[in-house]
Amino acid sequence: MDRERLDRPVRLAVVEDLPVVLAGVRSWVAADPQKRVEIIASGDTLEAVLDGPGADADVILLDLELNGVLMIGRIPELCAQGRRVVVYSVHEDEETVLNVLKAGAATFITKGESAEHCLETIVAVAWDRPYVTPTMAGALVVADASTARPMLSAREREALLLWFQGMNKQSVATRMGISEATVKQYIERARIKYASTGRAAPTKTTLLARAIQDGLITPADIIEYQSRAAEAGQS
């Protein structure tokens, strides 16, 4: 079920071992005129953050490399606990992005992203909505003719796009004039088709990444929808 918008600032826990980066994130949060995010905990290890106030965070902003150690192996356990993880990293190659998403992270942003993209990503993840940053899109959009691409029907693609744009499955069903069960079948079929090509997509974010890779959906499809939704919310 899609999460309702929070009626308070998003509670953010930041796991980062570089003080200058943490200071930058704090300044971005403080400068947001809408005050959408509140940092409730920070530290240079997961234990230091989650054993205290960070346990109640809506979103964890996790540096991918802490004290020289990659944290990809810790992401599955965090997600199994129901935590929403945004990975924040200097590593932005396609393989790293996909490994992070396959591990269960809600999304991936790089330390080169702007304040706007960082905050928009955090808020979108708190609301269970996808957000594709320009860097993530650039890492995923590849023209590799050797990559096995599943054949999705027009209706399967339509259902996926509406779902990726933030609608829950019942809303997708209403828009398409079909049952919610059929929407679930379309999404599950897409997962099965990807798995059959050796490119598993067990999570919503991984499925979105695969669809972007294959040109079935463009990052603009997601960003444009979010921009329009934001404008409507401000009017």
Side-chain angles (χ1 to χ4, degrees):
M1 179 179 294
D2 289 344
R3 188 173 182 171
E4 296 294 334
R5 287 196 178 195
L6 300 173
D7 57 3
R8 54 169 173 74
V10 174
R11 295 181 301 222
L12 177 68
V14 184
V15 187
E16 171 60 63
D17 60 352
L18 293 178
V20 66
V21 175
L22 177 58
V25 174
R26 287 189 180 281
S27 69
W28 291 350
V29 169
D32 180 22
Q34 300 177 59
K35 304 300 179 186
R36 294 168 295 171
V37 177
E38 173 190 8
I39 297 177
I40 64 169
S42 64
D44 61 1
T45 68
L46 279 165
E47 288 71 24
V49 172
L50 298 181
D51 288 347
D56 295 324
D58 300 307
V59 177
I60 298 172
L61 185 65
L62 174 65
D63 183 3
L64 184 60
E65 186 174 347
L66 293 173
N67 304 303
V69 179
L70 290 178
M71 293 289 107
I72 293 178
R74 299 293 304 273
I75 297 173
E77 67 182 79
L78 293 172
C79 296
Q81 295 168 7
R83 303 188 186 279
R84 292 169 173 79
V85 179
V86 174
V87 168
Y88 192 44
S89 179
V90 295
H91 305 287
E92 56 187 71
D93 59 282
E94 177 196 356
E95 182 179 2
T96 297
V97 173
L98 283 174
N99 284 338
V100 163
L101 299 181
K102 284 190 287 186
T107 193
F108 178 100
I109 58 178
T110 75
K111 293 184 177 180
E113 302 287 0
S114 67
E116 175 188 1
H117 288 305
C118 182
L119 292 177
E120 290 291 345
T121 299
I122 291 167
V123 173
V125 168
W127 294 343
D128 285 339
R129 294 178 179 173
Y131 189 85
V132 181
T133 66
T135 303
M136 179 176 165
L140 295 176
V141 179
V142 293
D144 184 357
S146 66
T147 299
R149 291 169 167 78
M151 296 295 294
L152 302 185
S153 70
R155 295 291 271 176
E156 287 169 347
R157 290 175 61 178
E158 181 182 1
L160 284 178
L161 176 57
L162 294 173
W163 187 48
F164 290 145
Q165 287 180 332
M167 290 187 180
N168 60 31
K169 295 182 181 72
Q170 182 57 61
S171 297
V172 173
T174 300
R175 172 72 68 87
M176 294 180 66
I178 56 179
S179 70
E180 184 176 358
T182 301
V183 171
K184 291 178 180 178
Q185 287 176 2
Y186 285 157
I187 294 171
E188 187 57 27
R189 273 189 223 155
R191 292 193 198 280
I192 291 171
K193 289 178 180 180
Y194 268 108
S196 69
T197 66
R199 301 168 65 209
T203 68
K204 183 176 183 177
T205 306
T206 311
L207 189 56
L208 171 60
R210 296 298 191 194
I212 290 174
Q213 276 188 308
D214 295 346
L216 300 175
I217 290 170
T218 71
D221 290 330
I222 306 300
I223 294 169
E224 180 181 2
Y225 175 86
Q226 290 173 330
S227 297
R228 289 180 177 178
E231 290 171 3
Q234 294 171 359
S235 62

